[in-house]
Amino acid sequence: MVAILGQIGCRDSANAFRPALYHGDQRVRKETIHALVKIGGKDAESMIIELIEDADPAIVLHAIMSLGLLKSDAAVQLLIQIIEKSDFSPGKSR
């Protein structure tokens, strides 16, 4: 379902993806991020930004790459702060 809605690209549906972003299966979460990138927009961008604080390092890296694909201006300062930390480890509490 998430993949189909991502293909359609309806920005009005972005908030409906929120539960899937926190699904127990990492594959569902990654596919949801992928769909949000396809949809784009501020809602999708802000939901992906939230995942930078996730406990799963694979999700954090996927979120960071996705923000790059979105060319997210809103994430620039946060990403700079991450890079400046010498002890950066995805999923680590910030």
Side-chain angles (χ1 to χ4, degrees), residues 6 9-18 21-22 32-52 63 66-67 70 72 74-75:
C10 178
R11 288 189 178 170
D12 293 337
S13 67
N15 282 321
F17 286 52
R18 188 172 297 280
L21 279 177
Y22 299 97
T32 304
I33 295 168
H34 183 69
L36 286 170
V37 170
K38 286 183 177 181
I39 289 172
K42 296 294 178 192
D43 288 337
E45 184 179 5
S46 66
M47 285 189 277
I48 295 171
I49 288 171
E50 289 175 18
L51 296 175
I52 291 176
S66 297
L67 290 166
L70 286 171
S72 172

